[in-house]
Amino acid sequence: MKTLHKYETTLELDKVLTRLAELTCCEDAADMARNLRPLTDLQDVRSELNKTDDAFILAAKFGTPHFSKLRNPGAAVKRCEAGGTLAPKDLLNIAAVLRQARSLSGWFSQCENSSTSLTDYFDSLIINKFLENKITDSILSEDEIADTASDALASIRKKIRQSSVKIRESLDKMIRSSAHQKHLQDAIVTMRDGRFVVPVKAEYRSEIAGLVHDTSASGATLFIEPVSVVEANNEIRLLQSKEKEEIERILAELSADCAAVSSAILCDYQTILELNLYFAKANLAADMHAFKPEIFDDGIISLKKARHPLIDRDHVVPIDVELGERFTGLIVTGPNTGGKTVTLKTLGLLTLMAMCGLMIPAESGSRLSVFQQVLVDIGDEQSIEQSLSTFSSHMTNIISILKKADQHSLVLLDELGSGTDPVEGAALAISIIEELSRKGSRLAATTHYAELKMYALQTEGIENACCEFDVATLRPTYRLLIGVPGRSNAFAISARLGLDHSILEHAKGLVSTENKRFEDVVENLEHARQEYEEQTRLLYHRNQEVEQLRQEVDTLKKELEKQKSQEMERARLEAKKIVDNVRLRSEQLMDELEELRRQKNKEDFNARTQAARSQLKGRLGKLYDQANPVAEKPSEAPYRLPRPLKVGDSVLIADIDKKGVVLALPDKGGNVMVQAGIIKSRVPLSNLRLLEEQSVHVQRGATTRSVTSQKDRKVSTEIDLRGQNVEEALINLDHYIDNCVMGGMTQICIIHGKGTGVLRTAVQNHLKHHKNIASFRLGTFGEGENGVTIAEIK
C-alpha cells in the first residue's frame, strides 16, 4: 500500500480522502478511498474524472443508488472453494453481495439512455437470483435455518414438535394430579439439558421415579425426568441429532453452490466497491459544490472562484488564480493572516484532487494540469531532534525540492527566504526562483520582501500577486489580485492603531529612498486599481439597467405583436362566420324562389310573389349590413380642450385609445411630449383628450359623452361552440371569456355538445391553464349534462 507523500499531507489531501471515505458503504470501500493517490498520466486522470462526472450526472438525474453495508466475502469464498462448509453468517453475506449486484443492475436499467463511462461496470455485474433466493429462503438469520430449507428438515422438526406435545401432555397430567402436587416445588414443566423435567422437593425424591438432571442452588429442588417420558425424550434427542445433520447437509450444499460461482461473487464484490467509490466521489462533489475541471498536461492552471475544500463554504472567499500561460512564476505578497498560505494550499490541493479523479470546488470552466510531482514547502517544520532551526528546516526542504524539480513539477514555497537576515534572505530567494525558472518548473511563492516584488516587476515570466488588505478596517479581504504587488502597510496599520506621529515620521525617514519610491509606486497602483474597480462596478450596474429596459421593450413589443395576431385571427374568424351566414341565407332564398316557381299556376300566385319580393328586399338589406361590418364613423365636430394643457395632466391618445401623462407643453408644430407606459412620444394636440380625475368626459361642441364602463357591457351568459373545429372554438372562447371578465360576470356556460368528446376535452384542457378561470365542471341534469361545461370566473 503506497502511503501519502509528506508534500501531499502538507497540502491536507489526507483530510479530503478521509471525508471521501466517510461517504462509502463499507470498510473495504473506505480503504479504497483513503488509499487514492494522484495519477500522473493525463489519460488516466481524464478517465477517472469522467467516471466521477458521470456518477454525478446519474445521481443528479436518478438519485444515488442504495449501497448496503457489506463484508468482504473473500475468505469465505476461499474456504468453500477448498470444500469447507460456511456458517450461516457468511452465506447471508454472500447473498447480500448478490442482492446488491442485482439491485445496482436493476437501478441502472431504469436510467433511460444512460450510456456512460460507468456502463461497463454495471454490465459486468453477474446476477444470480437463484442462489440469492436459495440462501435467503433457507437461512432466516445467523442462528436460524428455515423449516422450508429441505423436506427432510421440515419432517424432522414436525416430529420433534409432535413428540414434545405428547411429553408435555403426559407431564401436565402428572403435575395436575392430586397424588403428586405435594411432591412438586412448582406445578410447571421445564427443561434441563434439552430434556423435559419437573421440579420435585428434595424430601420427596423417592416418591417420583426418574432421572435427576439438575439441582437448585439451595439444594431444596431436584429436576427429575420421570421414567414415563424417558423414552420420548430419547426419541427427541435422536430427532435433534438428525436435525443437526440435515442442517449441516444444507449448509454444505449451499457452500458448494457458492464455490461453483466463486469467481462471479468476488467479481461482483469488487465491482460494487468501485461503483460505490465513484458515487462517493459524486456525493463529495455535491457537498462541496464542485465541478469537473478541464485537464491537460501543459503546466497551465486557471482556477475560477476556487475555494479551499476544508474551509466552510460560507466563510471562505473564492479566488481566481492563473499560472503557466502568461507567466511561470507567481510571487504572492500581503499582510500576515491575509490568505497567502491558503492561496498556495488551494492551488496545490485542487491540483492533487483532480489528479485523484475528484471534482474541485471551483466554477465550471476551470483548468488544471497534470504534474509528475507537486513539491511543497509550507509551514514551520522546525525539528528539535535534528537540531534544525526554522530557517534550517526550510532550507533542508528547499534543497530537496531543487534536486527533484523539473519542467513537469509544480513548486509551492511559503515565506521564501524568511527566518534569516532580510538582505541575504531576499537574495537567496531570488536565486532559488531563478533556478526553478531555469528548470522550467511552475512556481508559486509567498514573501514579505520588497526586493522580490521589484524582481517580479522587472523579470519576464514572473508575476506579482497580492492578498488585498483594507487599511480602514485593519482586516484582510482575502481577495487575490494578479498583477498587483502587495504593500507592507506597516506604517498605515501602525497609524490606525495609534502610534505617535513623530515616531512614524522618523521611521519613514529611515527607509531608503529607493524603497520609499517603490512603495509610493505601489500605492499609486493600488489607488488606480480601486478607481478602475469602482468605474467597472458603476458601468456594470448601468449596463444592467439598460439590459432591463431593453428586455421590457422587447416584452412590450412581443405583447403588441401577440395582440395584433390575436386581433387579426379574431377578425378572420368573424369574417368567415359572416360569409358562412350570408351563404346559408342566400341558399334559403334560392330555395324559396324555387318554391314560388313551382306554384306559379296557383290562383294566389301574384299575391305570393308580391309578398316574397317584399321579404326578399328586407333580407337582402340585412345580409348587406351583416356582410359589411365596418361601421361608418359619424362626423364629429373638432375637439376643443376645456383648458390649456399642463405638465402632469392625464390625457387619452384618441387614435390608439391609450392613457398617458403630459411631459412637456406643445411645441411650435403643435406636438405634445406624452409618456404612455414606458414609451415616450410626440402626439399632435388634436389627438389628445383631457382626462379628469373622477370620470372621463369628452367635450364635443355643446354635447357631452361619458365613456362607458367596461362592466356596463351586456354579455350573454353562454356561448355555443357546436359545429366549430378546435382551433376556431378556442379562439372564440378566449374572446368570449375576455368580454365576460370585462363585463363583470362570475359564471358562464360553454356549450360544446356531446358528440365524440374531442371538442369537450379541448375546451376543458384550455380552461385548466386559463388565467381568468377559477374552476369548471360538467353540467348537471337540467343544465345540459356532459354537453356543456360550467366555468367560474376569477
Side-chain angles (χ1 to χ4, degrees), residues 559-576:
E559 184 63 28
L560 290 174
E561 289 292 333
K562 181 180 178 182
Q563 291 179 2
K564 176 182 175 182
S565 298
Q566 290 176 344
E567 291 297 330
M568 292 290 290
E569 182 64 15
R570 190 175 290 119
R572 185 187 69 79
L573 293 174
E574 188 66 27
K576 181 177 181 300

Side-chain angles (χ1 to χ4, degrees), residues 215-267:
T215 306
S216 66
S218 64
T221 304
L222 303 176
F223 295 93
I224 298 176
E225 178 185 6
V227 175
S228 60
V229 297
V230 169
E231 188 61 33
N233 271 328
N234 289 339
E235 184 181 352
I236 290 178
R237 275 296 180 90
L238 182 61
L239 289 171
Q240 288 173 341
S241 177
K242 291 182 178 179
E243 177 189 27
K244 185 177 180 180
E245 291 175 359
E246 180 61 18
I247 289 174
E248 288 295 328
R249 188 198 65 78
I250 292 168
L251 295 178
E253 180 182 326
L254 292 174
S255 300
D257 291 341
C258 293
V261 292
S262 57
S263 59
I265 294 170
L266 294 176
C267 178

Side-chain angles (χ1 to χ4, degrees), residues 583-598:
R583 182 183 294 112
L584 178 63
R585 296 291 180 87
S586 299
E587 290 174 354
Q588 290 176 348
L589 289 174
M590 293 298 294
D591 291 342
E592 292 181 7
L593 289 173
E594 180 62 24
E595 179 64 21
L596 287 174
R597 187 185 64 77
R598 288 198 299 267

Side-chain angles (χ1 to χ4, degrees), residues 53 289-296 300-306 320-322 325 359-369:
D53 189 46
H289 285 214
F291 294 90
K292 184 183 80 168
E294 299 175 12
I295 195 79
F296 300 91
I300 297 175
I301 296 174
S302 177
L303 295 174
K304 302 175 182 178
K305 304 297 181 186
D320 294 338
V321 187
E322 59 174 300
E325 185 172 18
M359 297 163 76
I360 62 171
E363 279 193 355
S364 178
S366 294
R367 169 192 172 118
L368 285 170
S369 180

Side-chain angles (χ1 to χ4, degrees), residues 110-126:
Q110 300 299 316
C111 300
E112 304 148 354
N113 303 322
S114 297
S115 179
T116 71
S117 57
L118 298 176
T119 300
D120 289 343
Y121 288 90
F122 286 102
D123 289 345
S124 68
L125 291 169
I126 302 171

Side-chain angles (χ1 to χ4, degrees), residues 150-325:
S150 73
D151 293 338
L153 182 62
S155 176
I156 291 169
R157 287 182 171 176
K158 182 179 179 182
K159 291 176 181 178
I160 290 174
R161 287 191 293 269
Q162 290 172 346
S163 297
S164 298
V165 169
K166 289 179 181 179
I167 293 173
R168 279 190 168 276
E169 289 175 351
S170 175
L171 293 179
D172 283 343
K173 289 179 182 179
M174 175 183 290
I175 63 177
R176 286 198 300 269
S177 70
S178 57
H180 292 294
Q181 282 184 356
K182 66 178 182 177
H183 304 147
L184 301 178
Q185 193 71 267
D186 293 298
I188 60 172
V189 177
T190 185
M191 294 192 78
R192 288 294 185 273
D193 298 329
R195 302 176 77 89
F196 289 96
V197 296
V198 292
V200 179
K201 295 176 182 178
E203 59 267 29
Y204 296 114
R205 163 69 182 87
S206 60
E207 298 297 327
I208 296 180
L211 304 175
V212 178
H213 286 278
D214 199 3
T215 306
S216 66
S218 64
T221 304
L222 303 176
F223 295 93
I224 298 176
E225 178 185 6
V227 175
S228 60
V229 297
V230 169
E231 188 61 33
N233 271 328
N234 289 339
E235 184 181 352
I236 290 178
R237 275 296 180 90
L238 182 61
L239 289 171
Q240 288 173 341
S241 177
K242 291 182 178 179
E243 177 189 27
K244 185 177 180 180
E245 291 175 359
E246 180 61 18
I247 289 174
E248 288 295 328
R249 188 198 65 78
I250 292 168
L251 295 178
E253 180 182 326
L254 292 174
S255 300
D257 291 341
C258 293
V261 292
S262 57
S263 59
I265 294 170
L266 294 176
C267 178
D268 276 354
Y269 182 70
Q270 187 60 35
T271 303
I272 290 167
L273 293 183
E274 291 174 349
L275 285 172
N276 180 236
L277 181 59
Y278 288 121
F279 280 100
K281 289 181 179 181
N283 289 335
L284 181 64
D287 290 344
M288 291 182 175
H289 285 214
F291 294 90
K292 184 183 80 168
E294 299 175 12
I295 195 79
F296 300 91
D297 58 359
D298 54 6
I300 297 175
I301 296 174
S302 177
L303 295 174
K304 302 175 182 178
K305 304 297 181 186
R307 293 174 279 106
H308 194 285
L310 300 177
I311 302 177
D312 189 341
R313 189 170 62 246
D314 296 330
H315 297 107
V316 67
V317 177
I319 58 173
D320 294 338
V321 187
E322 59 174 300
L323 180 65
E325 185 172 18

Side-chain angles (χ1 to χ4, degrees), residues 149 190 194 216-217 234 245 266 330 381 398 426 487 509 686 700 733:
T190 185
S216 66
N234 289 339
E245 291 175 359
L266 294 176
L330 188 66
E381 298 182 8
I398 289 174
R487 298 178 59 204
S686 59
R700 285 188 175 83
L733 179 58

